[in-house]
Amino acid sequence: MSIFLSQAEIEQFDRDGFVGPFDVYPREESLARLAEVRLALLDRERAVYDLNHGGNIANYDRHLDIPLLMEHVRRPEIVERVRCILGEDLHCWRTEFFAKFPGDEGTDWHQSRHMAIGSGVPPLVATEPHEKYPDVFLTLAVWTALSDASIESGCMRYLPGSHKKKYLDDLKPMNWDEARINKQIKFGEKRGLFGYDAAEIEIDPSWQRTQEDAVSVEVRAGQCIIFWEATMHASHPNTSNSDARISFVARYVPTSVRIYPNQSDLSEYGGKVDLLRWSPVLVSGVDLYNFNRRGENLLV
């Protein structure tokens, strides 16, 4: 089985802004990895962010202290496909867990060209245009299901082709309110954005009238989906009785991108963490720019 994108898959990605699912692990291996990672998350001795002030973002970038997750972000089944889109020289700059338990809301529609979530401060700045993608979407997300993800348990949804249009301005700040979480009803279902409201940064509300074009992507544990953060994406609420949907997202950029320029800390989702110990991870090629290295971590 090829671990590269075929020409047809590249064309689909360019058209739709997402592609997949692809196999990363056999299902049983993925479930076993999830159990091991859950235990490893409890050990924060080498975690790069402070739990006391980090809130929901304290478990960002646990690939920097958990070997199983570091191996994941360098996994050939992922990296070789990312190279087919972004090119040879790549950094993994951020990872996140997304857990959706029975009764949890769906994630509301959103897109991002700058990953300036809420604060309006862009953590990514391009220093040169990408040869193939001069619009510079900057960051590619690889969403891997660690448990099965069905419509009932809250799988991902995408609006094909939406990466070509700016529906939201993520450089505008949003107000975070914890009281919103699991409390909002939109279009007849529980739907929110982790305490934010994307309506605050909306440019064109017409996308709300095109949701019938949305594609739901069900995946089994061990499969991944690749998409531009600039593609409008969301997830269903978890309406199951007992199935937790847990995913791990790795984000990749060319090494020419400046990451967290002029930032000493990161503030999102009501938390704030010091970036002193953060480091990018070179997963492919070489870093000829040396823009981004900060803290030194044992696993990097």
Side-chain angles (χ1 to χ4, degrees):
M1 181 180 296
S2 174
I3 60 174
F4 303 94
L5 293 179
S6 67
Q7 184 58 40
E9 289 166 338
I10 292 173
E11 291 173 359
Q12 177 192 340
F13 178 82
D14 289 346
R15 181 187 69 238
D16 295 340
F18 67 96
V19 67
F22 302 106
D23 292 345
V24 181
Y25 311 102
R27 181 176 182 274
E28 292 307 315
E29 180 182 345
S30 179
L31 296 175
R33 282 173 168 260
L34 174 57
E36 187 173 341
V37 167
R38 278 177 156 169
L39 288 176
L41 288 172
L42 299 176
D43 180 2
R44 300 193 60 86
E45 183 177 356
R46 293 190 300 165
V48 296
Y49 304 132
D50 182 7
L51 181 63
N52 294 325
H53 304 288
N56 292 333
I57 61 176
N59 271 325
Y60 278 22
D61 299 333
R62 295 302 303 271
H63 65 289
L64 293 176
D65 72 285
I66 298 177
L68 204 63
L69 297 178
M70 179 63 79
E71 184 268 339
H72 174 85
V73 304
R74 290 170 161 157
R75 188 91 176 178
E77 290 88 344
I78 292 174
V79 172
E80 294 300 335
R81 290 183 169 103
V82 173
R83 286 176 58 191
C84 291
I85 299 168
L86 289 182
E88 175 72 19
D89 303 328
L90 300 173
H91 276 145
C92 176
W93 72 281
R94 182 189 287 186
T95 62
E96 303 166 45
F97 285 94
F98 289 96
K100 197 174 295 295
F101 298 100
D104 280 353
E105 66 187 4
T107 303
D108 203 3
W109 289 102
H110 60 291
Q111 67 176 171
S112 178
R113 277 172 164 73
H114 305 92
M115 292 297 291
I117 301 170
S119 68
V121 178
L124 303 173
V125 176
T127 64
E128 57 188 46
H130 191 281
E131 181 180 358
K132 183 177 179 181
Y133 303 104
D135 291 337
V136 189
F137 299 123
L138 292 181
T139 190
L140 201 64
V142 180
W143 189 100
T144 302
L146 302 182
S147 62
D148 297 331
S150 63
I151 290 177
E152 186 179 40
S153 67
C155 71
M156 294 293 291
R157 308 174 72 192
Y158 299 94
L159 193 62
S162 55
H163 61 299
K164 301 174 184 177
K165 182 175 180 178
K166 192 175 180 180
Y167 295 88
L168 305 174
D169 183 358
D170 68 321
L171 288 178
K172 297 173 68 174
M174 289 187 288
N175 297 303
W176 184 80
D177 184 356
E178 187 175 14
R180 289 175 174 157
I181 299 175
N182 272 326
K183 297 294 193 301
Q184 299 181 90
I185 303 294
K186 295 185 178 183
F187 300 97
E189 65 181 19
K190 289 175 67 175
R191 187 190 298 178
L193 193 59
F194 313 107
Y196 293 111
D197 186 351
E200 295 179 10
I201 60 173
E202 202 170 75
I203 296 172
D204 182 359
S206 66
W207 67 269
Q208 295 182 354
R209 296 191 295 273
T210 64
Q211 291 185 76
E212 64 270 16
D213 298 326
V215 175
S216 299
V217 184
E218 295 186 296
V219 298
R220 64 155 177 80
Q223 292 184 316
C224 75
I225 311 165
I226 301 172
F227 61 95
W228 288 125
E229 283 291 344
T231 304
M232 287 291 280
H233 55 287
S235 67
H236 291 275
N238 190 331
T239 59
S240 71
N241 293 323
S242 59
D243 298 329
R245 190 225 71 185
I246 300 176
S247 62
F248 185 67
V249 179
R251 305 183 192 278
Y252 299 88
V253 292
T255 56
S256 60
V257 172
R258 289 186 182 272
I259 307 169
Y260 300 123
N262 306 313
Q263 288 179 242
S264 60
D265 55 58
L266 174 64
S267 297
E268 291 178 1
Y269 305 117
K272 184 176 181 178
V273 294
D274 189 325
L275 291 169
L276 180 65
R277 298 179 62 197
W278 168 87
S279 292
V281 176
L282 185 68
V283 298
S284 176
V286 295
D287 179 7
L288 298 176
Y289 301 88
N290 200 30
F291 289 147
N292 298 308
R293 185 157 301 281
R294 297 192 188 184
E296 294 296 333
N297 189 281
L298 292 177
L299 297 185
V300 175

